[in-house]
Amino acid sequence: VGRRGLNASRPVNINQVVAANSPAATTFIVGSRPFNNPNVPVAARFANDIIQQQYNGQSTYHALQSRLELRLTRGTSFLASYTFGKSIDDVSGIGTGADDRAQDSYNLQAQRAVSNFDIKHRFVLSAIYALPIGRNQRFINDNGILSALISDFQINLITTAQSGQPFTVTVGSFDGNVLNPDGSIRVLGTQISNRRPNLTRDPYTDIPAGFAFNPAAFTLPTSGTLGNVGRNTLRGDDYFNTDFGILRTIRFTPFGEAGNVQLRAEFFNIFNHPNFNFPVSTLSSPAFGRYVSNSTAPRVIQFAIKVGY
């Protein structure tokens, strides 16, 4: 499977503070803004962000998709599917999320990376299995009491396993210079929420206990510069979940010819496997690098009765 997307919507800050290592530094004063510098008339200067919705985002997706389905008698079936894919883009949202705003609005090409929703491997197995015991089945199919008690049982299963999704590490603030109305420069913290840190070594070596990656691999960039970490360079936790159910359908003619009562026992996340949300990815946070929340609930067991007529 192959797809290509063009003209995707995204927000671009066209009045972003110019960093020392930005391509715009050759045109504008470092620490100034395009609409707030000595070349702009004082009355026309604007010292805040200007977010413009642009339609120049691009994306590509390639994948190998496979599917194996087996249908047997008495309602038994198995379905397994596997996808090996890769999605690349320079904007993944609908153009309204801060996570898709470029670190450097003057270098949008640096945004090209794997998509926010990229999943390299995904495997799903689902099964419906009618137990071959009891009346009209292969085993214990006499008309005795035991046969009546163990008849009409069915097992349902769905298992999902997939690779973790990518995320971006950020700093949260920019210590740049700000232009005064008279053209002079003063040092002042100017917020750029999607500023990124510098990567100094492999973040997946020497990982401390309880962390998703090694936080010491990231450092704060020099004041007035942007970090060298790219977009979506790290990946979150892999995902694994199995839901399991066993049910018995008993014919109940008082509800009509098709009447039945179904007894159900269902186990969600039966193996009680923890699946985590993205770890804290803001360098300034004390919890930087830690998993702090789950994406799925712990094991849940429920019993139900379903009536059909």
Side-chain angles (χ1 to χ4, degrees):
V1 176
R3 297 175 183 171
R4 185 181 182 191
L6 299 172
N7 304 323
S9 172
R10 63 175 166 188
V12 177
N13 183 4
I14 61 174
N15 200 35
Q16 182 179 341
V17 174
V18 177
N21 54 346
S22 168
T26 60
T27 305
F28 300 102
I29 299 173
V30 173
S32 71
R33 297 174 183 261
F35 294 92
N36 188 32
N37 65 72
N39 297 323
V40 178
V42 174
R45 291 177 185 173
F46 190 76
N48 296 316
D49 291 344
I50 301 175
I51 307 302
Q52 181 185 71
Q53 205 69 21
Q54 297 184 0
Y55 299 87
N56 50 18
Q58 300 185 28
S59 64
T60 59
Y61 175 71
H62 297 92
L64 169 66
Q65 298 178 344
S66 58
R67 172 188 173 107
L68 177 63
E69 186 172 6
L70 180 63
R71 293 181 179 271
L72 303 177
T73 58
R74 305 185 188 279
T76 296
S77 65
F78 300 90
L79 175 62
S81 60
Y82 169 72
T83 300
F84 172 62
K86 189 171 187 178
S87 178
I88 299 175
D89 60 30
D90 49 23
V91 58
S92 295
I94 60 173
T96 58
D99 61 332
D100 269 323
R101 291 186 184 177
Q103 175 185 220
D104 187 356
S105 296
Y106 314 110
N107 186 18
L108 295 179
Q109 292 180 345
Q111 284 293 98
R112 183 173 172 82
V114 290
S115 305
N116 296 356
F117 47 80
D118 178 64
I119 298 174
K120 187 174 183 180
H121 302 282
R122 178 175 171 85
F123 174 77
V124 179
L125 171 66
S126 60
I128 300 174
Y129 181 62
L131 295 181
I133 55 175
R135 290 190 302 264
N136 302 320
Q137 299 293 337
R138 181 177 299 178
F139 304 106
I140 316 178
N141 55 5
D142 56 29
N143 293 321
I145 296 177
L146 178 60
S147 176
L149 291 175
I150 62 176
S151 296
D152 305 315
F153 276 92
Q154 177 181 296
I155 291 175
N156 297 339
L157 171 77
I158 180 166
T159 294
T160 303
Q162 67 182 40
S163 305
Q165 295 177 245
F167 64 93
T168 303
V169 175
T170 61
V171 170
S173 64
F174 178 86
D175 301 322
N177 295 324
V178 174
L179 195 67
N180 290 316
D182 61 2
S184 62
I185 298 235
R186 72 182 188 277
V187 177
L188 184 67
T190 303
Q191 296 297 314
I192 295 181
S193 61
N194 48 348
R195 186 189 182 210
R196 300 170 194 156
N198 284 326
L199 180 65
T200 58
R201 56 175 166 166
D202 185 351
Y204 291 115
T205 59
D206 302 323
I207 302 175
F211 285 78
F213 55 85
N214 186 353
F218 300 90
T219 60
L220 188 69
T222 303
S223 179
T225 65
L226 299 174
N228 62 13
V229 174
R231 171 176 168 253
N232 286 342
T233 52
L234 299 185
R235 285 190 179 267
D237 188 37
D238 292 341
Y239 178 90
F240 177 82
N241 185 73
T242 297
D243 295 332
F244 176 84
I246 183 168
L247 57 92
R248 185 186 185 190
T249 303
I250 304 172
R251 291 191 60 189
F252 197 66
T253 52
F255 290 159
E257 292 185 2
N260 65 81
V261 175
Q262 191 176 87
L263 309 177
R264 306 176 65 95
E266 297 171 312
F267 305 80
F268 301 97
N269 191 10
I270 187 172
F271 298 117
N272 205 29
H273 185 275
N275 294 296
F276 298 104
N277 288 315
F278 290 134
V280 177
S281 58
T282 303
L283 184 66
S284 58
S285 171
F288 178 58
R290 288 184 179 272
Y291 289 117
V292 296
S293 62
N294 293 340
S295 61
T296 54
R299 182 192 300 118
V300 174
I301 302 174
Q302 71 176 26
F303 301 95
I305 297 177
K306 180 180 177 181
V307 177
Y309 54 91

